[in-house]
Amino acid sequence: MLRRSLIKAATLAAFVGAIGFSNAALAADKVNVQLDWVVRGNHAMFFVGKEKGFFAKNDIDVAEIRKGSGSPDAMRLVGNENADFGFGDLPTLAVARSQNVPVVALAAVNQQSPLGIISLAKTVKLAKPSDLKGLTIGIHPAGSTYIFFKGFLAANGLTEKDMTLNSVSPPYESYLLLGRVQTVVGYVDAEVPELEAKAGGPGSLSIMMGADYGWRAYGSGLFTSQAMIKDKPDVVRRFVKAYREAFDYVAAHPDEAAEITAKAAPGYAEKKDVLLAQINADIASTFNSPDTKEHGLGWMTKTQWEETLKTLTDQGVLKAALSADDVFTDAFLAKE
């Protein structure tokens, strides 16, 4: 009788435990992520966070990671609550905020901008901004690259009349490789690895980084809507916590991060090497800063945001006045 009672008790406990586990699983908050463009190395945190269980551990279910059509569109989609979290160019986020798009930066993946101006070294060598005079520039007029380009010209005493602008659509590299333009604006952690692979390897490109010539601004990062922060602050807190855990893992294990991303993203099975080159480019030049060394990857400060906004305003990119508090929050960055 005692044995039968113990078995019944154990069975009941197991059943209750199973129900508890099921309820816990059902309690995970389902969210969608909107990327700025096709999958790149700096998107690895989302895929690694899913694969390694960082999101699940924080009761977050990332249901979709959606490819995008540019940072401005990603801002609008998240601002309109068509996605819960987004990834995109943070100076573009500031421009979006000045246009009343209700988005807020949560983490800066690129502590300095990875944007630059790129040419084929065998055709044009870029040593200083004035070297752009007279060249044909490939530019996408509706994207984050144009916001950067206008600021870069203003910072260096140049105007669009000093060169010929040709409107291009991504992928930009094809225009450069085919000789239709002499330079393109692109990301050192995105276009450069793919361009190098097609143009002849390391040394085949000439690159002039904006950060070296007056473009003092954050690069890309994680953001959400004002509505999410207001209505679901705990979801935002847990998402940012998981994201930063995944960020640490990507930086420490770039090869595995590239492999996970290549397997998870449709159509990327053969692109691990490019993804790895993109991640390594960021590790080498944009992930880290004095702030991240003290506070961890993704950290943002009011001081640096004020510098970013000043750069945008001084260079004529930002028309409406904004404060740092309008565009970012550090409330979710503190590690527990």
Side-chain angles (χ1 to χ4, degrees):
M1 180 67 71
L2 178 60
R3 178 179 174 81
R4 185 177 301 171
S5 298
L6 288 173
I7 291 173
K8 290 175 68 176
T11 302
L12 179 61
F15 177 76
V16 170
I19 292 295
F21 178 80
S22 176
N23 286 340
L26 292 173
D29 290 284
K30 184 177 291 187
V31 302
N32 295 314
V33 173
Q34 178 63 55
L35 303 182
D36 49 345
W37 197 241
V38 297
V39 175
R40 291 168 169 167
N42 59 8
H43 299 143
M45 295 70 149
F46 300 112
F47 298 98
V48 168
K50 285 192 69 171
E51 175 67 22
K52 304 299 289 188
F54 295 118
F55 287 119
K57 183 178 69 173
N58 286 279
D59 293 325
I60 298 289
D61 174 14
V62 178
E64 284 188 271
I65 302 171
R66 303 167 181 164
K67 292 188 290 185
S69 54
S71 288
D73 287 341
M75 308 297 170
R76 286 190 287 270
L77 288 166
V78 173
N80 292 337
E81 299 179 60
N82 289 310
D84 303 296
F85 296 92
F87 185 92
D89 179 67
L90 296 182
T92 302
L93 180 143
V95 174
R97 287 291 290 118
S98 74
Q99 298 168 343
N100 298 316
V101 180
V103 284
V104 180
L106 297 171
V109 170
N110 304 118
Q111 294 291 302
Q112 62 178 353
S113 176
L115 277 162
I117 301 173
I118 308 161
S119 68
L120 297 178
K122 65 182 181 182
T123 304
V124 174
K125 290 194 175 181
L126 301 173
K128 55 188 183 302
S130 60
D131 291 340
L132 296 176
K133 289 184 177 181
L135 297 183
T136 301
I137 316 290
I139 193 76
H140 182 44
S144 59
T145 50
Y146 188 49
I147 290 172
F148 156 75
F149 184 66
K150 290 192 294 183
F152 179 88
L153 294 184
N156 292 285
L158 299 169
T159 71
E160 294 181 10
K161 294 180 180 179
D162 292 321
M163 57 212 69
T164 299
L165 300 187
N166 281 3
S167 180
V168 299
S169 300
Y172 311 128
E173 58 265 22
S174 60
Y175 294 85
L176 188 62
L177 293 170
L178 293 172
R180 294 177 181 172
V181 299
Q182 293 169 290
T183 66
V184 293
V185 181
Y187 288 83
V188 71
D189 60 349
E191 282 83 15
V192 166
E194 293 204 58
L195 264 173
E196 280 187 340
K198 297 173 182 176
S204 60
L205 305 178
S206 181
I207 305 168
M208 187 161 51
M209 294 300 299
D212 295 332
Y213 293 97
W215 184 251
R216 293 182 294 274
Y218 281 126
S220 296
L222 179 70
F223 63 91
T224 191
S225 64
Q226 288 181 314
M228 280 289 291
I229 291 173
K230 178 178 179 292
D231 299 334
K232 300 179 180 179
D234 187 58
V235 175
V236 177
R237 179 188 61 78
R238 287 184 279 115
F239 188 94
V240 173
K241 182 174 183 291
Y243 181 86
R244 293 187 77 198
E245 290 172 350
F247 196 171
D248 288 341
Y249 196 91
V250 169
H253 306 89
D255 192 82
E256 184 184 357
E259 185 174 350
I260 288 171
T261 305
K263 287 181 179 178
Y268 276 72
E270 305 302 322
K271 292 191 175 183
K272 178 194 169 184
D273 289 346
V274 170
L275 290 167
L276 179 58
Q278 292 171 338
I279 294 170
N280 282 333
D282 272 325
I283 291 172
S285 60
T286 74
F287 279 172
N288 293 290
S289 69
D291 291 327
T292 65
K293 288 179 181 177
E294 182 176 355
H295 300 289
L297 294 173
W299 194 261
M300 297 183 296
T301 69
K302 188 171 184 177
T303 299
Q304 182 58 27
W305 259 111
E306 287 171 344
E307 182 71 20
T308 298
L309 293 173
K310 184 177 186 301
T311 295
L312 291 167
T313 302
D314 290 351
Q315 297 173 7
V317 177
L318 197 65
K319 302 302 182 183
L322 290 173
S323 71
D325 291 334
D326 292 325
V327 295
F328 98 107
T329 178
D330 60 4
F332 305 101
L333 284 173
K335 291 188 175 182
E336 297 175 358

